[in-house]
Amino acid sequence: MKELFPAKQVIGFAFSLLLTVIALAVYFLDMPFAVGMTILLVTAFVQAGVQLKVFMHAGETEDKAAIYTNVYYGLIIALVTIFGTLLAMVWDM
Amino acid sequence: MEFFERFAVPHPSPAIYASMVAIGLVMIALVVGLTYFKKWGYLWREWLTTVDHKRIGIMYLISALIMLFRGGVDAIMMRAQLSAPENTLLDSQHYNEIFTTHGIVMIMFMAMPFIFALMNIVIPLQIGARDVAFPRLNALSFWLFFMGAMLFNISFVIGGSPDAGWTSYFPLAGNEFSTSVGTNYYMIALQISGIGSLMTGINMITTVLRMRAPGMTLMKMPMFTWSSFIANVIIVFAFPVLTVALAMGTMDRLFGTQFFTMENGGMDMLWANLFWVWGHPEVYILILPAFGIYSEVISTFSRRNLYGYKSMVASMVVISLMSFLVWAHHFFTMGQGALTNSIFSITTMAIAVPTGVKIFNWLLTMWKGKIEFTTPMLYAVLFIPLFTLGGVTGVMLAMSAADYQYHNTMFLVAHFHNVIIPGVVFAMLAGLTYYWPKLFGFMLNEKIGKWTAWLLSIGFLLAFMPMYITGLDGQARRMYTYSEATGFGPLNMVSFVGSGIMAIGFALIVYNIYYSTRYASRDISSDPWDARTLEWATHNPVPEYNFAVLPEVKSSEALWDAKKKGHVLFKGKYEEIHMPNNSGAPFLMSVIFFIWGFALIFSLWIPAIIATLGIFAFMTHRSFEQDHGHHISVKEIEETETKMRGAK
Ligand code: HEM
Ligand SMILES: [Cu+2]
């Protein structure tokens, strides 16, 4: 029975619904812009992680290393690009 | 009638009308020729529907050469215009259109397909595979590139060329200052071919990671495969930025959004930023495969293994990350503070270090080697000093304070031509000469080849060294004329002469192809250069299935060790080979992309919507299609192998 019930996926699904509800709350509740933005960013990244790990099965095959290298590489480049852009276009303008 | 007015060229000239006639005549000649010689079926069966990586490579190659000439004609016109002060050969508008077209054609439609050509031809052979990972996708990549390029190329006779520079900076590229459809062409043609490049990136990464012959670990891959692999990683991470930027630019121009405008919260500088977030990695996408070619050529013709294989790989991995950390050096003068400029200055200078490591590796490979000056080797040897010069001026430009003097002058123009011509173009020509026998079963003429290399080098020096000087003296780039009092006249005349010599060099390439096709001996071995890597372990030209038996590899120089140390490459006997089927879908889908692009460019909404539906229809069809490929029987393999061996 235990093998048949995809506990990990069901918990993952519930968790990702929870994340969605929290993100949605930013719209309905009245809060400062910075707080709302922080909540959105954090829930978005966690959500992406859940999707990758639980539903797209990253880490379950032999090319685990390649997949995670790829994800981290992408993350680093995205962060560098975003913060570099903010630096050049906004903070230091 | 009103409907057709939009297709008129806003700024016509006799030359443009003449081109219209010429294009029309060429098209008619093609149709008549194909019909007369009954070649339509051949064209469709053997080329338009092919998924064979070698044939796709050849089509990339032909496109790149044609675009080299298109861009070259633009270059000659610009140099002619500038050859004397207050020249009136071209007016300012035409000059703007020409330098814009020249830049885009050379980077996107000459250099990119040239590297894709070599990647397609070489990578599967070098890793001992039968094709790339996704052959059908590969065909789609090519056709999307091709349709994008064609779309861009018709702009000057239908609706007008883009004229805001190959960088297409906003607000100049916005609707307010660029009123013709020219910049729409830019946005949409690049979008279409960019999607193709992105798909090639994914395809090649998968190929390298999953299709290597048994025994070939990552650290046993030949250097060209390594360098292309890194270039494709950069493609996959850099091109999405261009895709997004182009989409935003398109929406600004067609749908009235305000991403890059100067009011309503838009930010024009963001375009420049995004463009270079893609643009700097792009220059490394171009140069890394070129470095790979030089590595192969230098080690083959020095008869030595590549010096410092591991440091070569390490430096490329470092470059792949660092190429994403330097982009702001392209707009040091845009107004950001000293802190930002200093950071990007330092990262830029730092990236010259891994690049320098590679130069030393090549020098040390040649050191004590038995150098043989074939044409590819001649290109490589000429490349080293010339490219180093470009690297040095790059570091000069990297000093942000000094860049206020150099930026947007001919000095900058000299720098990037100095890295791109000896770096990328020479490498591609070396690769073309080196791999020609692999593709066609005969060698290109060495004597003409060497003449070409020397003419290109001398022409290059004459054409671009003067620009360093006039640039430092203040000659701005993208200016269509200058006064006599500036004193730029004589040096610009020298440049013009240099560009003429280069033109002769490029013409010689075509002559060489013609001459060698007619007279070269077909009686060559499968390994005419006495090379070291796997691609030379099969026949010339390569049979459809590449290797009758898949090789087993023990070292990074599999063929050399097979020749010298007696490693056995091919064990076992022939087995049935599973190959992918040809398909017309990639070509047809790309034709629809062409129509889609054209409709969007001219805001023809109904055709655009129909074409969009057509694209989705193709994707749906593909999702449900059953295609298991075909098998080549052992008997057929035996026949082909005997025939190929007999031909030698
Ligand atoms: C040692 C390595 C290099 C350094 C330090 C370097 C540095 C720079 C800098 C600082 C600029 C901007 C200057 C300005 O706009 O005022 C620049 C422009 C440029 N570089 Fe390099 N570069 C290097 C290698 C390369 C390579 C290998 C390529 C191409 C294969 C390349 C292609 C270009 C292009 C196309 C531009 C200018 C594009 C434009 O503004 O239209 N560079 N380089
Ligand atoms: Cu750059």
Side-chain angles (χ1 to χ4, degrees), chain B residues 510-585:
Chain B
V510 177
Y511 177 68
N512 196 352
I513 292 175
Y514 162 78
Y515 181 90
S516 310
T517 311
R518 265 193 92 168
Y519 301 111
S521 157
R522 266 38 177 193
D523 189 22
I524 58 167
S525 76
S526 65
D527 181 20
W529 303 111
D530 194 12
R532 313 174 79 84
T533 38
L534 217 49
E535 70 271 31
W536 300 100
T538 181
H539 310 284
N540 295 334
V542 188
E544 180 195 356
Y545 46 76
N546 292 357
F547 299 93
V549 175
L550 285 184
E552 272 176 47
V553 178
K554 289 208 193 70
S555 67
S556 69
E557 301 189 306
L559 179 62
W560 189 255
D561 290 340
K563 287 189 286 195
K564 301 288 152 168
K565 294 188 193 154
H567 289 182
V568 184
L569 283 177
F570 303 103
K571 296 177 195 149
K573 46 183 202 318
Y574 300 148
E575 278 169 38
E576 220 178 48
I577 297 176
H578 185 197
M579 295 299 289
N581 281 337
N582 283 358
S583 163

Side-chain angles (χ1 to χ4, degrees), chain B residues 166-167 276 283-284 287 329-330 348 352 387 391 394-395 397-398 403 407-408 412 415-416 419-420 424 477-478:
Chain B
W166 86 280
T167 49
W276 289 115
V283 308
Y284 276 91
I287 202 72
H329 67 214
H330 290 276
T348 306
F387 181 82
V395 177
L397 287 159
D403 189 56
H407 183 60
N408 266 348
L412 166 70
H415 154 70
F416 67 74
V419 276
I420 290 179
V424 185
R477 79 192 278 202
R478 296 177 175 170

